[in-house]
Amino acid sequence: MPKLIIHHPDGTQAKYGLNGPGFSIGRAADNDIVLPPGASSSQHAVIRLNETGDYTVTDLDSTNKTQVNGRAVQTSPLRHGDSLIFGDIAASYFSEIPVTGTDYEDPPTQIYEKPGATRSSRAPSPAPVQAPAVPQAYLPQPAHSLHRPGRRSSASGDGGCFSIIVMGFVIPAAFFCGLVVRHHQSTNTWFWDYLRDYLHS
């Protein structure tokens, strides 16, 4: 729902929810939105719902004019975040939730925050809670710090033994294969054929 916030000279605010087709603004008590005493006129301006769902402000030939974003206007559409001045009374317009439809069963206006509520009245945010410091002795130690100096881990020792065993089989096998290939190249027979003939002789 669009809303109009009237900023009083004493620093307080009055917030009006705009849920109707039009509203009168001025110092007189019979206005929908009553302005505090100041340089505004008794019947200062009106705002009316337009086809976009926002409102349009129209000055009623007031003595000290109506301004929108620092510019005096006779009629001007309002958009979210616009700043208005009725004489010397400042106001702000917000429309984050546009009005839709034309069926208005609610009262023309409603004050949903009474004058006197300011931004400074908000409760301070609680300070973030800090976790207690953990003694160094209870912190997890890196894996490398668990091994004593000068002592190899069991994993590295097992890996070295396995490598020696594998090399003990691989080197003789490679040597034997080399002899077989060399014998075949020199005699045009395979070594196992020669070994078979030798065993049967």
PDB file of all heavy atoms in Angstrom, residues 54-90:
ATOM      1  N   ASP A  54      -0.149   4.562  -8.603  1.00  0.00           N
ATOM      2  CA  ASP A  54       0.423   5.572  -7.718  1.00  0.00           C
ATOM      3  C   ASP A  54      -0.548   6.754  -7.628  1.00  0.00           C
ATOM      4  O   ASP A  54      -1.668   6.698  -8.135  1.00  0.00           O
ATOM      5  CB  ASP A  54       1.785   6.029  -8.248  1.00  0.00           C
ATOM      6  CG  ASP A  54       2.911   5.085  -7.841  1.00  0.00           C
ATOM      7  OD1 ASP A  54       2.914   4.642  -6.682  1.00  0.00           O
ATOM      8  OD2 ASP A  54       3.774   4.797  -8.689  1.00  0.00           O
ATOM      9  N   TYR A  55      -0.082   7.827  -6.994  1.00  0.00           N
ATOM     10  CA  TYR A  55      -0.933   8.996  -6.798  1.00  0.00           C
ATOM     11  C   TYR A  55      -0.355  10.203  -7.516  1.00  0.00           C
ATOM     12  O   TYR A  55       0.844  10.263  -7.815  1.00  0.00           O
ATOM     13  CB  TYR A  55      -1.089   9.298  -5.298  1.00  0.00           C
ATOM     14  CG  TYR A  55      -2.031   8.338  -4.607  1.00  0.00           C
ATOM     15  CD1 TYR A  55      -1.603   7.081  -4.202  1.00  0.00           C
ATOM     16  CD2 TYR A  55      -3.366   8.683  -4.383  1.00  0.00           C
ATOM     17  CE1 TYR A  55      -2.472   6.201  -3.579  1.00  0.00           C
ATOM     18  CE2 TYR A  55      -4.236   7.801  -3.764  1.00  0.00           C
ATOM     19  CZ  TYR A  55      -3.789   6.559  -3.364  1.00  0.00           C
ATOM     20  OH  TYR A  55      -4.661   5.690  -2.763  1.00  0.00           O
ATOM     21  N   THR A  56      -1.238  11.171  -7.790  1.00  0.00           N
ATOM     22  CA  THR A  56      -0.865  12.455  -8.383  1.00  0.00           C
ATOM     23  C   THR A  56      -1.222  13.552  -7.398  1.00  0.00           C
ATOM     24  O   THR A  56      -2.336  13.563  -6.837  1.00  0.00           O
ATOM     25  CB  THR A  56      -1.604  12.683  -9.708  1.00  0.00           C
ATOM     26  OG1 THR A  56      -1.207  11.663 -10.649  1.00  0.00           O
ATOM     27  CG2 THR A  56      -1.287  14.048 -10.286  1.00  0.00           C
ATOM     28  N   VAL A  57      -0.283  14.474  -7.135  1.00  0.00           N
ATOM     29  CA  VAL A  57      -0.531  15.585  -6.221  1.00  0.00           C
ATOM     30  C   VAL A  57      -0.904  16.821  -7.030  1.00  0.00           C
ATOM     31  O   VAL A  57      -0.332  17.096  -8.088  1.00  0.00           O
ATOM     32  CB  VAL A  57       0.706  15.855  -5.326  1.00  0.00           C
ATOM     33  CG1 VAL A  57       1.910  16.269  -6.153  1.00  0.00           C
ATOM     34  CG2 VAL A  57       0.382  16.905  -4.273  1.00  0.00           C
ATOM     35  N   THR A  58      -1.886  17.571  -6.546  1.00  0.00           N
ATOM     36  CA  THR A  58      -2.338  18.800  -7.191  1.00  0.00           C
ATOM     37  C   THR A  58      -2.405  19.904  -6.146  1.00  0.00           C
ATOM     38  O   THR A  58      -3.055  19.732  -5.098  1.00  0.00           O
ATOM     39  CB  THR A  58      -3.718  18.613  -7.843  1.00  0.00           C
ATOM     40  OG1 THR A  58      -3.631  17.566  -8.819  1.00  0.00           O
ATOM     41  CG2 THR A  58      -4.185  19.895  -8.513  1.00  0.00           C
ATOM     42  N   ASP A  59      -1.709  21.013  -6.405  1.00  0.00           N
ATOM     43  CA  ASP A  59      -1.728  22.152  -5.496  1.00  0.00           C
ATOM     44  C   ASP A  59      -3.037  22.923  -5.660  1.00  0.00           C
ATOM     45  O   ASP A  59      -3.519  23.133  -6.775  1.00  0.00           O
ATOM     46  CB  ASP A  59      -0.535  23.069  -5.802  1.00  0.00           C
ATOM     47  CG  ASP A  59      -0.425  24.197  -4.810  1.00  0.00           C
ATOM     48  OD1 ASP A  59       0.079  23.954  -3.693  1.00  0.00           O
ATOM     49  OD2 ASP A  59      -0.853  25.318  -5.152  1.00  0.00           O
ATOM     50  N   LEU A  60      -3.623  23.332  -4.534  1.00  0.00           N
ATOM     51  CA  LEU A  60      -4.914  24.043  -4.563  1.00  0.00           C
ATOM     52  C   LEU A  60      -4.670  25.556  -4.473  1.00  0.00           C
ATOM     53  O   LEU A  60      -5.292  26.248  -3.646  1.00  0.00           O
ATOM     54  CB  LEU A  60      -5.798  23.559  -3.410  1.00  0.00           C
ATOM     55  CG  LEU A  60      -6.176  22.076  -3.444  1.00  0.00           C
ATOM     56  CD1 LEU A  60      -7.016  21.707  -2.231  1.00  0.00           C
ATOM     57  CD2 LEU A  60      -6.907  21.736  -4.737  1.00  0.00           C
ATOM     58  N   ASP A  61      -3.809  26.056  -5.339  1.00  0.00           N
ATOM     59  CA  ASP A  61      -3.485  27.497  -5.362  1.00  0.00           C
ATOM     60  C   ASP A  61      -3.101  27.989  -3.971  1.00  0.00           C
ATOM     61  O   ASP A  61      -3.544  29.055  -3.509  1.00  0.00           O
ATOM     62  CB  ASP A  61      -4.669  28.311  -5.917  1.00  0.00           C
ATOM     63  CG  ASP A  61      -4.957  27.969  -7.368  1.00  0.00           C
ATOM     64  OD1 ASP A  61      -3.978  27.694  -8.117  1.00  0.00           O
ATOM     65  OD2 ASP A  61      -6.134  27.963  -7.762  1.00  0.00           O
ATOM     66  N   SER A  62      -2.269  27.204  -3.309  1.00  0.00           N
ATOM     67  CA  SER A  62      -1.833  27.564  -1.960  1.00  0.00           C
ATOM     68  C   SER A  62      -0.896  28.763  -2.009  1.00  0.00           C
ATOM     69  O   SER A  62      -0.305  29.078  -3.052  1.00  0.00           O
ATOM     70  CB  SER A  62      -1.117  26.381  -1.311  1.00  0.00           C
ATOM     71  OG  SER A  62       0.057  26.053  -2.035  1.00  0.00           O
ATOM     72  N   THR A  63      -0.757  29.420  -0.846  1.00  0.00           N
ATOM     73  CA  THR A  63       0.081  30.624  -0.793  1.00  0.00           C
ATOM     74  C   THR A  63       1.551  30.295  -1.010  1.00  0.00           C
ATOM     75  O   THR A  63       2.256  30.994  -1.748  1.00  0.00           O
ATOM     76  CB  THR A  63      -0.104  31.323   0.567  1.00  0.00           C
ATOM     77  OG1 THR A  63      -1.488  31.646   0.741  1.00  0.00           O
ATOM     78  CG2 THR A  63       0.739  32.599   0.647  1.00  0.00           C
ATOM     79  N   ASN A  64       2.023  29.237  -0.385  1.00  0.00           N
ATOM     80  CA  ASN A  64       3.452  28.908  -0.430  1.00  0.00           C
ATOM     81  C   ASN A  64       3.771  27.696  -1.300  1.00  0.00           C
ATOM     82  O   ASN A  64       4.860  27.131  -1.186  1.00  0.00           O
ATOM     83  CB  ASN A  64       3.976  28.700   0.989  1.00  0.00           C
ATOM     84  CG  ASN A  64       3.947  29.990   1.788  1.00  0.00           C
ATOM     85  OD1 ASN A  64       4.476  31.003   1.357  1.00  0.00           O
ATOM     86  ND2 ASN A  64       3.298  29.953   2.954  1.00  0.00           N
ATOM     87  N   LYS A  65       2.825  27.276  -2.118  1.00  0.00           N
ATOM     88  CA  LYS A  65       3.040  26.279  -3.158  1.00  0.00           C
ATOM     89  C   LYS A  65       3.354  24.877  -2.594  1.00  0.00           C
ATOM     90  O   LYS A  65       3.581  24.674  -1.418  1.00  0.00           O
ATOM     91  CB  LYS A  65       4.167  26.703  -4.117  1.00  0.00           C
ATOM     92  CG  LYS A  65       3.961  28.075  -4.730  1.00  0.00           C
ATOM     93  CD  LYS A  65       2.664  28.147  -5.521  1.00  0.00           C
ATOM     94  CE  LYS A  65       2.460  29.525  -6.128  1.00  0.00           C
ATOM     95  NZ  LYS A  65       1.140  29.618  -6.834  1.00  0.00           N
ATOM     96  N   THR A  66       3.327  23.942  -3.530  1.00  0.00           N
ATOM     97  CA  THR A  66       3.680  22.539  -3.256  1.00  0.00           C
ATOM     98  C   THR A  66       4.883  22.190  -4.100  1.00  0.00           C
ATOM     99  O   THR A  66       4.904  22.491  -5.309  1.00  0.00           O
ATOM    100  CB  THR A  66       2.507  21.600  -3.597  1.00  0.00           C
ATOM    101  OG1 THR A  66       1.388  21.926  -2.766  1.00  0.00           O
ATOM    102  CG2 THR A  66       2.900  20.146  -3.363  1.00  0.00           C
ATOM    103  N   GLN A  67       5.866  21.569  -3.486  1.00  0.00           N
ATOM    104  CA  GLN A  67       7.082  21.192  -4.201  1.00  0.00           C
ATOM    105  C   GLN A  67       7.214  19.672  -4.232  1.00  0.00           C
ATOM    106  O   GLN A  67       6.877  18.987  -3.260  1.00  0.00           O
ATOM    107  CB  GLN A  67       8.323  21.787  -3.520  1.00  0.00           C
ATOM    108  CG  GLN A  67       8.354  23.300  -3.502  1.00  0.00           C
ATOM    109  CD  GLN A  67       9.639  23.820  -2.872  1.00  0.00           C
ATOM    110  OE1 GLN A  67      10.712  23.233  -3.037  1.00  0.00           O
ATOM    111  NE2 GLN A  67       9.521  24.925  -2.140  1.00  0.00           N
ATOM    112  N   VAL A  68       7.720  19.168  -5.360  1.00  0.00           N
ATOM    113  CA  VAL A  68       8.046  17.753  -5.519  1.00  0.00           C
ATOM    114  C   VAL A  68       9.505  17.669  -5.945  1.00  0.00           C
ATOM    115  O   VAL A  68       9.878  18.208  -6.990  1.00  0.00           O
ATOM    116  CB  VAL A  68       7.140  17.058  -6.552  1.00  0.00           C
ATOM    117  CG1 VAL A  68       7.559  15.603  -6.746  1.00  0.00           C
ATOM    118  CG2 VAL A  68       5.682  17.135  -6.124  1.00  0.00           C
ATOM    119  N   ASN A  69      10.311  17.049  -5.094  1.00  0.00           N
ATOM    120  CA  ASN A  69      11.750  16.921  -5.341  1.00  0.00           C
ATOM    121  C   ASN A  69      12.407  18.273  -5.604  1.00  0.00           C
ATOM    122  O   ASN A  69      13.217  18.443  -6.519  1.00  0.00           O
ATOM    123  CB  ASN A  69      12.009  15.964  -6.514  1.00  0.00           C
ATOM    124  CG  ASN A  69      11.525  14.555  -6.222  1.00  0.00           C
ATOM    125  OD1 ASN A  69      11.582  14.088  -5.086  1.00  0.00           O
ATOM    126  ND2 ASN A  69      11.055  13.863  -7.239  1.00  0.00           N
ATOM    127  N   GLY A  70      12.015  19.284  -4.788  1.00  0.00           N
ATOM    128  CA  GLY A  70      12.628  20.603  -4.856  1.00  0.00           C
ATOM    129  C   GLY A  70      12.090  21.503  -5.936  1.00  0.00           C
ATOM    130  O   GLY A  70      12.616  22.605  -6.128  1.00  0.00           O
ATOM    131  N   ARG A  71      11.035  21.093  -6.662  1.00  0.00           N
ATOM    132  CA  ARG A  71      10.496  21.909  -7.753  1.00  0.00           C
ATOM    133  C   ARG A  71       9.023  22.193  -7.492  1.00  0.00           C
ATOM    134  O   ARG A  71       8.242  21.270  -7.215  1.00  0.00           O
ATOM    135  CB  ARG A  71      10.669  21.174  -9.082  1.00  0.00           C
ATOM    136  CG  ARG A  71      10.157  21.943 -10.288  1.00  0.00           C
ATOM    137  CD  ARG A  71      10.502  21.190 -11.574  1.00  0.00           C
ATOM    138  NE  ARG A  71       9.909  19.860 -11.589  1.00  0.00           N
ATOM    139  CZ  ARG A  71       8.685  19.602 -12.054  1.00  0.00           C
ATOM    140  NH1 ARG A  71       7.930  20.574 -12.541  1.00  0.00           N
ATOM    141  NH2 ARG A  71       8.234  18.362 -12.055  1.00  0.00           N
ATOM    142  N   ALA A  72       8.641  23.484  -7.554  1.00  0.00           N
ATOM    143  CA  ALA A  72       7.251  23.859  -7.351  1.00  0.00           C
ATOM    144  C   ALA A  72       6.399  23.328  -8.504  1.00  0.00           C
ATOM    145  O   ALA A  72       6.769  23.443  -9.673  1.00  0.00           O
ATOM    146  CB  ALA A  72       7.122  25.378  -7.251  1.00  0.00           C
ATOM    147  N   VAL A  73       5.259  22.711  -8.166  1.00  0.00           N
ATOM    148  CA  VAL A  73       4.409  22.098  -9.182  1.00  0.00           C
ATOM    149  C   VAL A  73       2.963  22.514  -8.969  1.00  0.00           C
ATOM    150  O   VAL A  73       2.556  22.882  -7.848  1.00  0.00           O
ATOM    151  CB  VAL A  73       4.518  20.553  -9.132  1.00  0.00           C
ATOM    152  CG1 VAL A  73       5.942  20.094  -9.427  1.00  0.00           C
ATOM    153  CG2 VAL A  73       4.046  20.001  -7.789  1.00  0.00           C
ATOM    154  N   GLN A  74       2.206  22.440 -10.030  1.00  0.00           N
ATOM    155  CA  GLN A  74       0.755  22.581  -9.932  1.00  0.00           C
ATOM    156  C   GLN A  74       0.122  21.201  -9.846  1.00  0.00           C
ATOM    157  O   GLN A  74      -0.700  20.929  -8.981  1.00  0.00           O
ATOM    158  CB  GLN A  74       0.207  23.343 -11.143  1.00  0.00           C
ATOM    159  CG  GLN A  74      -1.309  23.526 -11.137  1.00  0.00           C
ATOM    160  CD  GLN A  74      -1.784  24.350  -9.950  1.00  0.00           C
ATOM    161  OE1 GLN A  74      -1.151  25.318  -9.566  1.00  0.00           O
ATOM    162  NE2 GLN A  74      -2.914  23.953  -9.351  1.00  0.00           N
ATOM    163  N   THR A  75       0.545  20.292 -10.744  1.00  0.00           N
ATOM    164  CA  THR A  75       0.113  18.898 -10.722  1.00  0.00           C
ATOM    165  C   THR A  75       1.312  18.039 -11.098  1.00  0.00           C
ATOM    166  O   THR A  75       2.014  18.349 -12.073  1.00  0.00           O
ATOM    167  CB  THR A  75      -1.037  18.640 -11.708  1.00  0.00           C
ATOM    168  OG1 THR A  75      -2.166  19.443 -11.337  1.00  0.00           O
ATOM    169  CG2 THR A  75      -1.447  17.174 -11.702  1.00  0.00           C
ATOM    170  N   SER A  76       1.519  16.969 -10.357  1.00  0.00           N
ATOM    171  CA  SER A  76       2.678  16.114 -10.647  1.00  0.00           C
ATOM    172  C   SER A  76       2.393  14.692 -10.169  1.00  0.00           C
ATOM    173  O   SER A  76       1.925  14.488  -9.035  1.00  0.00           O
ATOM    174  CB  SER A  76       3.933  16.649  -9.951  1.00  0.00           C
ATOM    175  OG  SER A  76       5.031  15.765 -10.136  1.00  0.00           O
ATOM    176  N   PRO A  77       2.649  13.679 -11.017  1.00  0.00           N
ATOM    177  CA  PRO A  77       2.528  12.296 -10.547  1.00  0.00           C
ATOM    178  C   PRO A  77       3.630  11.996  -9.529  1.00  0.00           C
ATOM    179  O   PRO A  77       4.735  12.525  -9.612  1.00  0.00           O
ATOM    180  CB  PRO A  77       2.700  11.461 -11.824  1.00  0.00           C
ATOM    181  CG  PRO A  77       3.476  12.345 -12.743  1.00  0.00           C
ATOM    182  CD  PRO A  77       3.069  13.747 -12.430  1.00  0.00           C
ATOM    183  N   LEU A  78       3.314  11.137  -8.579  1.00  0.00           N
ATOM    184  CA  LEU A  78       4.264  10.771  -7.536  1.00  0.00           C
ATOM    185  C   LEU A  78       4.821   9.385  -7.796  1.00  0.00           C
ATOM    186  O   LEU A  78       4.117   8.507  -8.306  1.00  0.00           O
ATOM    187  CB  LEU A  78       3.594  10.811  -6.158  1.00  0.00           C
ATOM    188  CG  LEU A  78       3.038  12.166  -5.721  1.00  0.00           C
ATOM    189  CD1 LEU A  78       2.348  12.052  -4.373  1.00  0.00           C
ATOM    190  CD2 LEU A  78       4.149  13.217  -5.670  1.00  0.00           C
ATOM    191  N   ARG A  79       6.076   9.211  -7.445  1.00  0.00           N
ATOM    192  CA  ARG A  79       6.743   7.917  -7.589  1.00  0.00           C
ATOM    193  C   ARG A  79       7.434   7.573  -6.284  1.00  0.00           C
ATOM    194  O   ARG A  79       7.704   8.451  -5.455  1.00  0.00           O
ATOM    195  CB  ARG A  79       7.758   7.951  -8.740  1.00  0.00           C
ATOM    196  CG  ARG A  79       7.117   8.152 -10.108  1.00  0.00           C
ATOM    197  CD  ARG A  79       8.169   8.222 -11.214  1.00  0.00           C
ATOM    198  NE  ARG A  79       7.561   8.369 -12.534  1.00  0.00           N
ATOM    199  CZ  ARG A  79       7.186   9.524 -13.052  1.00  0.00           C
ATOM    200  NH1 ARG A  79       7.357  10.641 -12.348  1.00  0.00           N
ATOM    201  NH2 ARG A  79       6.649   9.578 -14.244  1.00  0.00           N
ATOM    202  N   HIS A  80       7.721   6.299  -6.132  1.00  0.00           N
ATOM    203  CA  HIS A  80       8.345   5.812  -4.901  1.00  0.00           C
ATOM    204  C   HIS A  80       9.616   6.599  -4.574  1.00  0.00           C
ATOM    205  O   HIS A  80      10.495   6.754  -5.420  1.00  0.00           O
ATOM    206  CB  HIS A  80       8.695   4.327  -5.055  1.00  0.00           C
ATOM    207  CG  HIS A  80       9.444   3.761  -3.886  1.00  0.00           C
ATOM    208  ND1 HIS A  80       8.855   3.565  -2.662  1.00  0.00           N
ATOM    209  CD2 HIS A  80      10.737   3.370  -3.759  1.00  0.00           C
ATOM    210  CE1 HIS A  80       9.745   3.057  -1.823  1.00  0.00           C
ATOM    211  NE2 HIS A  80      10.888   2.937  -2.475  1.00  0.00           N
ATOM    212  N   GLY A  81       9.697   7.146  -3.358  1.00  0.00           N
ATOM    213  CA  GLY A  81      10.872   7.872  -2.911  1.00  0.00           C
ATOM    214  C   GLY A  81      10.818   9.367  -3.147  1.00  0.00           C
ATOM    215  O   GLY A  81      11.781  10.060  -2.794  1.00  0.00           O
ATOM    216  N   ASP A  82       9.714   9.905  -3.710  1.00  0.00           N
ATOM    217  CA  ASP A  82       9.623  11.345  -3.949  1.00  0.00           C
ATOM    218  C   ASP A  82       9.563  12.113  -2.631  1.00  0.00           C
ATOM    219  O   ASP A  82       8.974  11.655  -1.645  1.00  0.00           O
ATOM    220  CB  ASP A  82       8.376  11.677  -4.777  1.00  0.00           C
ATOM    221  CG  ASP A  82       8.600  11.404  -6.260  1.00  0.00           C
ATOM    222  OD1 ASP A  82       9.759  11.144  -6.648  1.00  0.00           O
ATOM    223  OD2 ASP A  82       7.617  11.437  -7.025  1.00  0.00           O
ATOM    224  N   SER A  83      10.178  13.298  -2.636  1.00  0.00           N
ATOM    225  CA  SER A  83      10.131  14.210  -1.487  1.00  0.00           C
ATOM    226  C   SER A  83       9.181  15.360  -1.829  1.00  0.00           C
ATOM    227  O   SER A  83       9.253  15.940  -2.923  1.00  0.00           O
ATOM    228  CB  SER A  83      11.522  14.753  -1.170  1.00  0.00           C
ATOM    229  OG  SER A  83      12.401  13.705  -0.812  1.00  0.00           O
ATOM    230  N   LEU A  84       8.308  15.699  -0.878  1.00  0.00           N
ATOM    231  CA  LEU A  84       7.345  16.770  -1.089  1.00  0.00           C
ATOM    232  C   LEU A  84       7.499  17.810   0.006  1.00  0.00           C
ATOM    233  O   LEU A  84       7.959  17.500   1.115  1.00  0.00           O
ATOM    234  CB  LEU A  84       5.904  16.242  -1.085  1.00  0.00           C
ATOM    235  CG  LEU A  84       5.526  15.214  -2.161  1.00  0.00           C
ATOM    236  CD1 LEU A  84       5.753  13.812  -1.655  1.00  0.00           C
ATOM    237  CD2 LEU A  84       4.061  15.397  -2.564  1.00  0.00           C
ATOM    238  N   ILE A  85       7.075  19.063  -0.294  1.00  0.00           N
ATOM    239  CA  ILE A  85       7.013  20.134   0.704  1.00  0.00           C
ATOM    240  C   ILE A  85       5.700  20.865   0.494  1.00  0.00           C
ATOM    241  O   ILE A  85       5.419  21.373  -0.603  1.00  0.00           O
ATOM    242  CB  ILE A  85       8.201  21.114   0.578  1.00  0.00           C
ATOM    243  CG1 ILE A  85       9.526  20.386   0.809  1.00  0.00           C
ATOM    244  CG2 ILE A  85       8.052  22.251   1.584  1.00  0.00           C
ATOM    245  CD1 ILE A  85      10.747  21.284   0.674  1.00  0.00           C
ATOM    246  N   PHE A  86       4.878  20.878   1.550  1.00  0.00           N
ATOM    247  CA  PHE A  86       3.613  21.621   1.525  1.00  0.00           C
ATOM    248  C   PHE A  86       3.849  22.900   2.326  1.00  0.00           C
ATOM    249  O   PHE A  86       3.779  22.894   3.561  1.00  0.00           O
ATOM    250  CB  PHE A  86       2.491  20.787   2.131  1.00  0.00           C
ATOM    251  CG  PHE A  86       2.266  19.474   1.443  1.00  0.00           C
ATOM    252  CD1 PHE A  86       2.721  18.287   2.007  1.00  0.00           C
ATOM    253  CD2 PHE A  86       1.607  19.418   0.222  1.00  0.00           C
ATOM    254  CE1 PHE A  86       2.506  17.073   1.387  1.00  0.00           C
ATOM    255  CE2 PHE A  86       1.396  18.200  -0.413  1.00  0.00           C
ATOM    256  CZ  PHE A  86       1.853  17.023   0.168  1.00  0.00           C
ATOM    257  N   GLY A  87       4.147  24.013   1.628  1.00  0.00           N
ATOM    258  CA  GLY A  87       4.513  25.243   2.332  1.00  0.00           C
ATOM    259  C   GLY A  87       5.901  25.114   2.911  1.00  0.00           C
ATOM    260  O   GLY A  87       6.897  25.332   2.240  1.00  0.00           O
ATOM    261  N   ASP A  88       5.960  24.753   4.205  1.00  0.00           N
ATOM    262  CA  ASP A  88       7.251  24.475   4.836  1.00  0.00           C
ATOM    263  C   ASP A  88       7.254  23.133   5.561  1.00  0.00           C
ATOM    264  O   ASP A  88       8.152  22.855   6.352  1.00  0.00           O
ATOM    265  CB  ASP A  88       7.613  25.601   5.814  1.00  0.00           C
ATOM    266  CG  ASP A  88       6.609  25.729   6.955  1.00  0.00           C
ATOM    267  OD1 ASP A  88       5.509  25.107   6.860  1.00  0.00           O
ATOM    268  OD2 ASP A  88       6.897  26.435   7.938  1.00  0.00           O
ATOM    269  N   ILE A  89       6.258  22.302   5.291  1.00  0.00           N
ATOM    270  CA  ILE A  89       6.136  20.986   5.925  1.00  0.00           C
ATOM    271  C   ILE A  89       6.610  19.919   4.936  1.00  0.00           C
ATOM    272  O   ILE A  89       6.024  19.768   3.850  1.00  0.00           O
ATOM    273  CB  ILE A  89       4.693  20.694   6.388  1.00  0.00           C
ATOM    274  CG1 ILE A  89       4.202  21.799   7.333  1.00  0.00           C
ATOM    275  CG2 ILE A  89       4.618  19.338   7.058  1.00  0.00           C
ATOM    276  CD1 ILE A  89       5.053  21.947   8.588  1.00  0.00           C
ATOM    277  N   ALA A  90       7.655  19.214   5.309  1.00  0.00           N
ATOM    278  CA  ALA A  90       8.227  18.190   4.426  1.00  0.00           C
ATOM    279  C   ALA A  90       7.447  16.886   4.542  1.00  0.00           C
ATOM    280  O   ALA A  90       6.854  16.569   5.587  1.00  0.00           O
ATOM    281  CB  ALA A  90       9.697  17.954   4.772  1.00  0.00           C
TER     282      ALA A  90
END
